[in-house]
Amino acid sequence: LARAASADEAAQALAEHLASVTGGPAVVLLPGEGGLRLAGAPAGLSTLAAESLAMAEQVWSHAQSPTSSPGGESAEWTFSALQGVSGPVGVVGLRAGRPATEPDLAPALIEQGGVVVERAALASAAGENEVLRQADQLRAGVLNSISHDFRTPLASILGSATTLYEYEQQLTSAVRRDLMRSIQEDAERLNAHVGALLDMGRLEGGALKPREEWVDVRELIGSAIRRLAARLGDHKIERDFADRLSLVKADPTLVEQAILNLLDNAAVHTPAGGTLRIAAHEDGRWVMVSVDDEGPGVPADQQAAIFDKFRRGPSDRTGGLGLGLSITKGFVEAMGGRVALVSPLGPSGGSRFMISLGKVAETPRGLL
């Protein structure tokens, strides 16, 4: 009973225990949308006769009335209310069989069983409420992004395009190129926003199915840096790679995107002209990629939530969605890996974000 994770599991466990101590079959009925339903029963019993079910419903109705004493008997079953701490939670039915082994235990078992069923039902409801809360949080974040983070680049694109269309002949070549560059940059930002929301949707919906290929993370780091070249601007990149690095079995697309997100995050928080340091090393069980920035660091009271959805750091002025780190965490954990943060790196701040990907087989220390 104590191990039951849901009200139905508790009901089935209670029915089995009651059968063992009373010597006859036992059933537990719990309320559903259309009335009582059979939640715990002996093997092979999927429904009750109409007369028995009507008696159980009558007992349930009496149990819900504080002035009535629940109890009832049909031709087959003797029913009684199953009480929790705060009130009735269901109905128990017992049927005579072989001589009871421990008949005195039945009342105590029914009493404790009611409490367990109630607790399991409350736990399930709390879990469902948490899922709904997270869904509402995601929905609110998406609506906020559409209303703000999408409208800003859209307004810029619309303004630049309108200027080009209406005043093309009066504009110099340099001005036209600036306007077209602005359209391109804002369109790329919108495309990144849409991609992030789609990635988060895949993670939230459980639709992410990572592939498994042998990959060298150093090659994926190089690809991520090339893809992000325009965003990196005048930031300098320092590489620290092990001369020999084990291959890992992972989804190359997800690993590259996770690395790209970490580099993008580091660029956002590092002042112009600063240095981003990216390293790739391994220990016996893991291949690790770390990205260091020169930002102000993450305050200790914010580090536990840094990978939450729609979380923006205090030095983020780019108008991003705040999904990059959350997506990175989701991608890496979907491949059985881990993410970690170390901050600050020194007196002047700085942060290190690290992803670790598990090896297929542990490498002996002497071979590292």
Side-chain angles (χ1 to χ4, degrees):
L1 278 170
R3 289 195 298 268
S6 67
D8 282 16
E9 286 186 19
Q12 182 61 38
L14 177 58
E16 293 172 359
H17 284 303
L18 282 171
S20 69
V21 301
T22 61
V27 294
V28 177
L29 299 98
L30 301 181
E33 293 183 0
L36 291 177
R37 58 185 181 83
L38 203 59
L45 180 63
S46 59
T47 186
L48 295 179
E51 179 186 357
S52 299
L53 188 56
M55 179 56 67
E57 293 280 2
Q58 184 178 349
V59 170
W60 174 244
S61 298
H62 285 320
Q64 293 178 299
S65 172
T67 60
S68 300
S69 175
E73 186 171 344
S74 73
E76 291 185 291
W77 301 90
T78 300
F79 295 102
S80 60
L82 187 63
Q83 296 285 344
V85 174
S86 58
V89 295
V91 172
V92 172
L94 301 177
R95 190 169 68 185
R98 64 182 184 277
T101 56
E102 299 175 278
D104 294 339
L105 288 182
L109 189 55
I110 292 174
E111 181 181 352
Q112 293 300 313
V115 174
V116 172
V117 169
E118 181 183 52
R119 185 183 64 206
L122 291 173
S124 296
E128 292 173 2
N129 289 337
E130 176 62 18
V131 170
L132 292 174
R133 187 193 66 79
Q134 292 180 0
D136 285 341
Q137 182 185 19
L138 179 61
R139 188 180 301 110
V142 171
L143 291 175
N144 178 68
S145 298
I146 292 173
S147 64
H148 179 267
D149 301 311
F150 279 53
R151 290 182 66 181
T152 300
L154 276 174
S156 176
I157 291 171
L158 182 60
S160 298
T162 301
T163 302
L164 282 171
Y165 179 75
E166 295 182 354
Y167 302 100
E168 180 182 5
Q169 302 304 321
Q170 294 99 309
L171 300 176
T172 65
S173 176
V175 171
R176 287 198 298 270
R177 288 185 61 84
D178 283 342
L179 289 171
M180 288 186 288
R181 183 181 299 110
S182 175
I183 291 173
Q184 179 185 12
E185 291 174 352
D186 285 317
E188 289 175 347
R189 186 189 307 174
L190 272 177
N191 185 57
H193 287 352
V194 171
L197 288 175
L198 290 175
D199 286 340
M200 182 53 62
R202 291 165 65 200
L203 288 169
E204 292 286 328
L208 187 66
K209 306 297 181 186
R211 307 194 319 269
E212 282 196 351
E213 298 179 13
W214 289 107
V215 298
D216 185 336
V217 297
R218 294 170 296 187
E219 294 179 1
L220 300 179
I221 291 172
S223 177
I225 292 174
R226 289 190 295 273
R227 284 176 56 192
L228 205 63
R231 291 285 303 270
L232 293 177
D234 58 356
H235 289 103
K236 297 182 284 292
I237 302 291
E238 286 187 2
R239 296 175 173 86
D240 178 15
F241 297 169
D243 293 334
R244 297 172 57 188
L245 197 65
S246 298
L247 301 180
V248 293
K249 262 198 169 182
D251 187 317
T253 302
L254 300 187
V255 174
E256 182 179 334
Q257 187 62 47
I259 294 170
L260 186 147
N261 289 347
L262 293 187
L263 284 168
D264 191 24
N265 179 75
V268 165
H269 296 96
T270 297
T275 301
L276 313 182
R277 298 172 181 82
I278 184 163
H281 293 277
E282 67 179 303
D283 61 16
R285 295 183 54 203
W286 305 89
V287 170
M288 296 157 289
V289 176
S290 63
V291 178
D292 296 1
D293 63 47
E294 294 182 343
V298 181
D301 61 345
Q302 298 181 23
Q303 293 186 13
I306 196 65
F307 291 99
D308 288 353
K309 295 183 289 290
F310 302 105
R311 183 79 177 185
R312 292 188 177 101
S315 58
D316 186 351
R317 300 292 184 266
T318 65
L321 300 182
L323 287 176
L325 293 178
S326 179
I327 290 171
T328 294
K329 182 176 185 288
F331 282 179
V332 172
E333 291 183 348
M335 294 181 287
R338 306 181 303 187
V339 297
L341 164 67
V342 178
S343 186
L345 296 178
S348 59
S351 299
R352 171 176 297 158
F353 287 88
M354 184 168 64
I355 61 177
S356 301
L357 300 171
K359 299 180 182 180
V360 174
E362 186 169 350
T363 304
R365 182 178 297 272
L367 298 181
L368 293 173

